[in-house]
Amino acid sequence: MSTKSNLQLNGFFKKLNDSFLSLERIVAAFFTSFMLSNVVQMLNNKLFYELESYYNSINFFVFWFITIVGTTALCVLTYYAKFSSLIPRSLLFSSTLLSIMFSSALNEKNAYFMLGLGLVDFIVILWLSKDDKLELSKINISHKICFIVAVALFLFTSIFFSYYTSLRYQNFHNATFDFGIFAQMFENMATTGAPLTTVERSVEMSHFGVHFSPIFYLLLPGYMIFRSPIYLICAQSIFVALGVFPVYLICKKLGLSGKVTLAFEFIYAFYPCLFNGCFYDFHENKFLTTIILFLLYFIICEKRVPIIVFSLLLLMVKEDAAIYLIVIALYVLINKKQYINGSLILSMAVVYFVIANKVVAALGSEGVMMWRLSDYFVNGEEGYFSVFKSILFDVGYLIKMMFSAEKFPFIIWMFLPLAFAPFMQKQISTLILLLPIIPINMMQSWQYQYDIDYQYTYGVAALIIFCAIIAIANMKGNIRRIALLMSLIMSFSLAVHVLTPKINNNKYYEEHYGNVTESIEEALHEIPEDASVTADHYIMPHLYFIRELYTVPDYYKNIEQTDYFVVNTRSADNTEEMKAVMGSDYTLQNQVDFVQIYKHN
């Protein structure tokens, strides 16, 4: 090639660069349009995991038309308008949209798929973050706007998740464990003042003989007003949603900018390990997140009275909540150097833990649920001291139990939504706050402890989010942009992935059974409150007003003949078991759709 040709070619590329249309941006424009073509294809057929049918449904002309025309349009607009961030912002939009489409379409909860999706998004974000191609540094957001958004997110998530989680109850999908026990318990608290249940152990007893949770009494005034199990479901979603406010306050106290604060508000609202668990019934654990985040806020503010108040609230949640407070106390002592506050809450945690365990042992027949740690019992010894000795003298066994194939997805669910930022600490001592994940989740072999569909993630989630805020607060420039963008995209994508099937399932049952549920409720309320009743475990929560109530399946095998049996014909196995327990001394008194009510002759 001649010198003149080289000069002309160099001039051409210089002109492109001056118009923000470098070769890499042209490639980015192509991938942007290519991703949008995939999005359009998925609007026609979401079943990307069924290769042959998906491939055969592709309209290749439309696919390549969108890709080529889109690439050309982005390049032309960038060249003539000199809009430097057009292609980068379009790429972020298309990659995020495609991630959400993939996340919502997959019909199974798959942590490894989401990890792979996250890797693709990470590569995109690396390119976008270099030289601030999105021009995020030019965006200024006031903390006033952040507060308004926090209020909006609180209202939206409270209403949205209250509605969809309450559909589960209205469509008879809440079971005895773990909703019916609380529905009956609150009704008894409203009438007798005591947290009594007959369904939890098939005998009348205090729920505090299983878990010591006096925080329930704070919800009792509201229950007295609304007097419905749906109140519990809504209160739970509202309390989880409240956590957006301590997140806002923590970010503001740490001096984070408005846009970083705003990002964390959205990260909290869509952190998949929070509202996801609200679809599985009602639990005291779900109050942990908001309480812990408020406690940590007051710790960094060094306000002793609120620290004491929220420490007490935390302890009131459950007997093992003391584990979180002990670890927080160590953080206060070692990291924050607040020796008086740290010693005070440490003492509170230890004393309360001892008292709470004695209360559970006194009120219940089984004591605290140490059987969940039975893998660490040796030589016939049981209890906390036996577990402590086992992990102290055989650390290898502990590591083996913690890092198994079945538990690795749990690590992905908990940390990928925050781009693993909690581990990127400037002060390593901050990682003390992550210690509860070991006894609460990782070292246990009971599968529900390390499954984000259940209630055992809420305390750890608060600590992980706080650690992420601390870590990103100490990051600068490009690293901070990467961590925040990755966290935003992953938290939203993973939330869509785990929540979409649950929302769709509840909508399906509302459409198919919503027209009969009111009639079923009326029939159930015709049963006298002073009668003894045995009910299918999906019907039981709707009979919360019955004082002497039992359920099938009965895990404690204590059921005797009762005045009424209520059968759920939607489940053939449960129907057979119910009728086997019932015998022949009952007559069908009423039937409304899938519910049959039998009365003793």
Side-chain angles (χ1 to χ4, degrees):
M1 185 178 292
S2 66
T3 302
K4 183 178 180 181
S5 297
N6 281 330
L7 289 173
Q8 289 176 338
L9 189 61
N10 289 336
F12 173 74
F13 281 114
K14 184 178 184 303
K15 192 174 182 180
L16 287 179
N17 284 322
D18 290 342
S19 63
F20 307 108
L21 197 61
S22 61
L23 181 60
E24 64 180 29
R25 287 179 186 254
I26 295 173
V27 173
F30 171 80
F31 278 109
T32 298
S33 303
F34 180 79
M35 290 179 182
L36 288 176
S37 295
N38 277 273
V39 169
V40 172
Q41 162 59 21
M42 288 193 68
L43 293 174
N44 178 49
N45 183 357
K46 292 184 178 181
L47 306 182
F48 66 90
Y49 43 84
E50 295 181 1
L51 176 60
E52 190 166 337
S53 62
Y54 184 81
Y55 180 84
N56 290 333
S57 69
I58 296 175
N59 186 322
F60 291 99
F61 173 79
V62 173
F63 188 95
W64 288 115
F65 178 81
I66 293 172
T67 302
I68 294 169
V69 171
T71 303
T72 304
L74 286 171
C75 291
V76 169
L77 285 171
T78 299
Y79 183 84
Y80 286 104
K82 295 188 177 355
F83 188 2
S84 63
S85 62
L86 175 62
I87 292 175
R89 291 180 181 180
S90 300
L91 178 60
L92 178 64
F93 172 78
S94 62
S95 63
T96 302
L97 184 59
L98 187 59
S99 292
I100 291 169
M101 294 287 286
F102 281 138
S103 301
S104 63
L106 193 64
N107 63 351
E108 61 177 353
K109 192 176 70 173
N110 191 320
Y112 299 107
F113 174 79
M114 296 307 298
L115 184 63
L117 204 58
L119 180 60
V120 174
D121 287 324
F122 180 66
I123 293 169
V124 171
I125 289 169
L126 280 179
W127 182 78
L128 292 173
S129 299
K130 185 180 179 182
D131 303 322
D132 191 20
K133 293 183 179 68
L134 295 170
E135 299 182 354
L136 297 177
S137 58
K138 297 180 179 179
I139 299 174
N140 292 309
I141 299 173
S142 69
H143 279 97
K144 182 179 180 181
I145 295 296
C146 292
F147 178 75
I148 293 171
V149 172
V151 172
L153 283 172
F154 165 71
L155 293 173
F156 170 76
T157 52
S158 295
I159 295 169
F160 184 87
F161 289 105
S162 290
Y163 172 72
Y164 278 106
T165 54
S166 66
L167 284 183
R168 181 176 163 87
Y169 175 80
Q170 294 174 55
N171 295 319
F172 289 78
H173 273 80
N174 287 109
T176 302
F177 297 94
D178 288 344
F179 186 72
I181 54 176
F182 298 113
Q184 188 193 36
M185 182 193 77
F186 264 89
E187 185 62 21
N188 283 331
M189 286 168 65
T191 55
T192 70
L196 301 175
T197 73
T198 57
V199 294
E200 193 161 17
R201 294 292 184 265
S202 297
V203 64
E204 186 173 77
M205 63 171 291
S206 170
H207 173 69
F208 290 177
V210 179
H211 292 302
F212 186 52
S213 305
I215 197 158
F216 285 137
Y217 281 99
L218 297 182
L219 296 180
L220 187 56
Y223 182 83
M224 297 292 287
I225 297 171
F226 296 101
R227 209 59 177 256
S228 167
I230 293 179
Y231 160 77
L232 302 178
I233 295 170
C234 295
Q236 177 174 263
S237 292
I238 291 168
F239 210 93
V240 174
L242 276 171
V244 72
F245 292 111
V247 167
Y248 160 76
L249 292 171
I250 289 168
C251 291
K252 186 177 180 183
K253 179 64 179 178
L254 293 175
L256 292 171
S257 66
K259 58 192 170 191
V260 175
T261 302
L262 193 66
F264 270 113
E265 290 174 1
F266 279 97
I267 290 167
Y268 176 86
F270 295 103
Y271 186 61
C273 307
L274 293 177
F275 288 104
N276 178 56
C278 290
F279 283 85
Y280 181 70
D281 302 341
F282 174 85
H283 292 93
E284 65 280 347
N285 298 62
K286 292 164 190 174
F287 301 108
L288 289 170
T289 312
T290 296
I291 293 173
I292 289 174
L293 286 170
F294 268 117
L295 174 58
L296 290 168
Y297 167 69
F298 289 118
I299 284 170
I300 61 177
C301 292
E302 300 187 32
K303 295 184 177 181
R304 185 166 300 156
V305 172
I307 288 173
I308 294 171
V309 170
F310 278 89
S311 294
L312 285 171
L313 286 173
L314 174 57
L315 293 171
M316 289 168 62
V317 172
K318 203 176 178 183
E319 65 279 354
D320 62 5
I323 295 173
Y324 300 107
L325 192 57
I326 288 171
V327 169
I328 290 171
L330 294 176
Y331 169 76
V332 173
L333 289 167
I334 297 171
N335 188 287
K336 306 303 290 183
K337 311 298 184 186
Q338 298 177 25
Y339 299 113
I340 295 176
N341 290 338
S343 299
L344 182 61
I345 62 177
L346 180 61
S347 301
M348 290 170 60
V350 173
V351 171
Y352 190 90
F353 185 70
V354 173
I355 294 173
N357 276 266
K358 288 186 178 296
V359 170
V360 172
L363 296 177
S365 59
E366 302 177 9
V368 295
M369 296 181 177
M370 286 302 300
W371 57 267
R372 296 182 184 178
L373 294 170
S374 60
D375 291 317
Y376 302 88
F377 296 165
V378 292
N379 298 329
E381 295 182 8
E382 298 182 6
Y384 294 110
F385 189 61
S386 174
V387 173
F388 176 74
K389 287 194 299 182
S390 296
I391 62 177
L392 179 65
F393 295 111
D394 194 349
V395 177
Y397 181 76
L398 173 64
I399 295 173
K400 175 182 175 295
M401 292 295 293
M402 288 174 56
F403 296 98
S404 60
E406 60 184 2
K407 291 177 183 173
F408 188 68
F410 177 75
I411 298 173
I412 296 175
W413 293 122
M414 297 303 292
F415 291 100
L416 181 60
L418 291 161
F420 294 90
F423 297 108
M424 306 173 194
Q425 297 295 335
K426 184 177 181 180
Q427 286 183 286
I428 300 300
S429 58
T430 304
L431 294 177
I432 291 170
L433 289 170
L434 299 181
L435 287 177
I437 200 173
I438 296 174
I440 300 295
N441 309 107
M442 298 298 293
M443 68 183 281
Q444 302 210 30
S445 57
W446 201 49
Q447 64 190 46
Y448 304 107
Q449 299 282 156
Y450 49 89
D451 189 330
I452 64 164
D453 286 342
Y454 299 92
Q455 67 270 23
Y456 302 105
T457 62
Y458 284 80
V460 172
L463 299 173
I464 290 173
I465 291 169
F466 180 77
C467 285
I469 295 173
I470 295 295
I472 290 177
N474 290 314
M475 294 176 184
K476 303 295 181 184
N478 195 41
I479 300 298
R480 177 183 282 188
R481 282 193 292 270
I482 293 172
L484 276 177
L485 284 172
M486 187 68 183
S487 297
L488 277 168
I489 293 175
M490 284 293 94
S491 59
F492 195 74
S493 296
L494 269 72
V496 168
H497 181 62
V498 298
L499 290 171
T500 299
K502 293 180 172 63
I503 292 171
N504 288 340
N505 186 60
N506 286 351
K507 287 168 63 177
Y508 171 84
Y509 279 98
E510 175 64 16
E511 291 169 1
H512 286 76
Y513 293 99
N515 60 330
V516 299
T517 53
E518 187 175 341
S519 299
I520 294 172
E521 291 283 5
E522 291 175 358
L524 293 175
H525 276 77
E526 290 176 3
I527 299 174
E529 293 182 18
D530 58 353
S532 59
V533 180
T534 300
D536 171 85
H537 64 152
Y538 287 114
I539 307 298
M540 179 265 130
H542 299 262
L543 292 165
Y544 63 95
F545 54 89
I546 301 294
R547 180 69 181 267
E548 187 180 351
L549 182 61
Y550 306 98
T551 185
V552 173
D554 170 30
Y555 302 104
Y556 293 87
K557 307 302 178 187
N558 293 328
I559 289 181
E560 299 178 359
Q561 296 296 294
T562 54
D563 298 331
Y564 290 84
F565 267 73
V566 184
V567 178
N568 174 14
T569 61
R570 283 199 302 203
S571 172
D573 292 339
N574 286 354
T575 300
E576 290 180 10
E577 184 176 358
M578 285 284 289
K579 292 188 175 180
V581 174
M582 183 170 56
S584 59
D585 295 332
Y586 288 81
T587 302
L588 180 63
Q589 186 183 52
N590 195 1
Q591 178 167 358
V592 181
D593 203 83
F594 56 86
V595 174
Q596 296 176 339
I597 301 173
Y598 289 85
K599 185 177 180 181
H600 193 272
N601 294 331

